[in-house]
Amino acid sequence: MKRAIAVLACVLCAAPAVAQLDVGRLIDYGRKAVDAGSKLKDANREFSQEDEVQLGDGIAATLLGASPLVKDANLQRYVNRVGRWVALHSDRPDLPWTFGVIETQTVNAFAMPGGTILVSRGLLRQLNSESELAGALAHEIAHVVKRHQLAAIQSSTNSEVWSSIGKDVAGEAISRRGGDAFGLKSRAAGLGIDAVKNGVFLRPLDRSMEYEADRLGVILATRAGYDPYGLPGVLQVLGTMRGDGTGLDIMATHPAPSDRLAELEKVMPAVEGYANQPRVEGRFRQVVSAK
Amino acid sequence: MRILQTLGAALALFASIAAFGQDQAFTNRSTELKEKPDAAATTLATLPENTGVKVVSRAGAWTRIEAAGRTGFVRVFHLRFPATVEGGGSSSGGSNPLSAIGGFLTGQKSDDRAKLASTGVRGLSKEDVKNASPDEAALKSLQSYRADRAGAERFAKEAKLAAVKVPDPDASKGERR
């Protein structure tokens, strides 16, 4: 005890000397940290759900400019019903969830902030059942629910630009991009267009985000009443594929399917009891394969 | 003895390679071949790690396979699938044999898949996307296909999909980053 008091006394004696040297700088650091914190808070407060949706609209419009929608209203409505039903079991059931199939054969799916999800025809043709489609969509829905793409775009966007979202439209910046002509006028939509054009949106996400989306994806598909093994089935199929050299296929933008399966296996005991839920093959075959 | 082991390993490897084909998978650990898709079912054989198997169909947590002259079920996660297929745009339009397996068993003609594949649309490159102009008309069209809550619920009911409560395992562990 005596010794403890002695040590404490020493520390107390020494403290003023240290303080004299560094107190100014420490206060400065502290002030900066508080400023950064409040800026982040401001940015988050100003980046509303509406901004998030518009950001996603900008990205979606640009992707659609590169790869058109499959001209099959029946197929598009089908994918929307599967996706919306799964999304209803997430923490964000009432986003303006929007799903679409794009023409490209490149095997991938894209989730945009705000709830727009595009899957390629190339991915769709690898699937065997509605439960596999639900699994693939559920992985993308999980990205939206966890705001993974939003975080990735935010971390590579200048903080001043970010905090200006939701404020007045900067007309000159939008017209430079041709945004007026397309009516995607908000700053958030403009940021989305930029995120595609400068490649930020096309970069792979952190592996941890992909694994999290796989885990939550399986849970969401199971909650929606599907066979939980839909997403693992898709990953096994993807495991047999090599990349197509575009740099934009699922093999290039995601961890190896074998690694994803190894991670996903850990969560399966939680859903093992639902393994006999429907795979829904008949309806899937009618709508998807009859093309 | 060591020579015998090495020879055994070499033979096993050779057998694996010989068995290699488009509907082939390998066990990724030692696993039991079950008579039925059920952990409590009779065990027909124990397959060592890296046994080459022929995939017949899927059934939830189980995959129906043929191995060592017998047909039975192994756990989905106890199989690995070697990469054998070109993905996406540069392929000649042939579909993935693994996905065709399911199609075959459910009576789906391979032509059906080929039809879906035969659009002649090439793969999408990063440059294609970066150079694209936003297409607002396509965005509006996309949004016109949205399903509302009631529509989605009706759709689920038609396929006898019943919602169940399953907790998010990550949520119970707190925020994982």
Side-chain angles (χ1 to χ4, degrees), chain A residues 83-274:
Chain A
R84 186 71 204 270
W85 171 243
V86 173
L88 282 177
H89 299 88
S90 76
D91 289 344
R92 307 182 77 186
D94 293 316
L95 281 178
W97 292 100
T98 309
F99 301 83
V101 184
I102 53 175
E103 276 287 4
T104 181
Q105 292 295 357
T106 288
V107 175
N108 215 337
F110 303 94
M112 280 135 265
T116 296
I117 286 163
L118 296 174
V119 300
S120 72
R121 195 191 266 271
L123 175 60
L124 200 59
R125 65 179 266 253
Q126 300 299 336
L127 309 181
N128 290 303
S129 66
E130 195 172 297
S131 61
E132 290 187 1
L133 173 61
L137 294 179
H139 169 96
E140 301 304 328
I141 289 165
H143 278 314
V144 174
V145 169
K146 296 288 180 182
R147 298 179 174 83
H148 288 159
Q149 281 81 6
L150 187 68
I153 294 169
Q154 181 175 12
S155 73
S156 37
T157 303
N158 178 307
S159 63
E160 278 176 36
V161 172
W162 188 263
S163 58
S164 72
I165 299 295
K167 292 182 180 167
D168 293 339
V169 172
E172 69 285 358
I174 298 297
S175 55
R176 178 169 49 79
R177 271 191 301 268
D180 278 341
F182 296 102
L184 296 164
K185 286 178 184 157
S186 68
R187 298 221 41 188
L191 185 64
I193 295 167
D194 284 348
V196 179
K197 292 199 164 289
N198 62 24
V200 165
F201 179 76
L202 305 175
R203 285 183 204 149
L205 293 170
D206 287 351
R207 296 171 76 85
S208 62
M209 290 179 173
E210 295 299 346
Y211 296 146
E212 186 180 29
D214 282 341
R215 288 193 299 271
L216 182 55
V218 164
I219 300 296
L220 294 179
T222 308
R223 284 181 188 164
Y226 288 104
D227 169 13
Y229 286 81
L231 181 58
V234 176
L235 292 175
Q236 286 191 335
V237 171
L238 295 177
T240 68
M241 305 184 78
R242 294 196 184 95
D244 68 357
T246 59
L248 207 59
D249 60 36
I250 217 160
M251 287 66 83
T253 60
H254 286 68
S258 55
D259 292 345
R260 294 173 66 184
L261 282 163
E263 283 294 317
L264 200 47
E265 188 176 356
K266 298 173 192 166
V267 85
M268 297 313 285
V271 294
E272 184 80 35
Y274 304 100

Side-chain angles (χ1 to χ4, degrees), chain A residues 289 291, chain B residues 108-118:
Chain A
S289 312
K291 305 303 155 210
Chain B
Q108 181 183 2
K109 291 183 198 128
S110 58
D111 289 4
D112 293 344
R113 280 176 190 283
K115 274 183 213 161
L116 194 60
S118 63

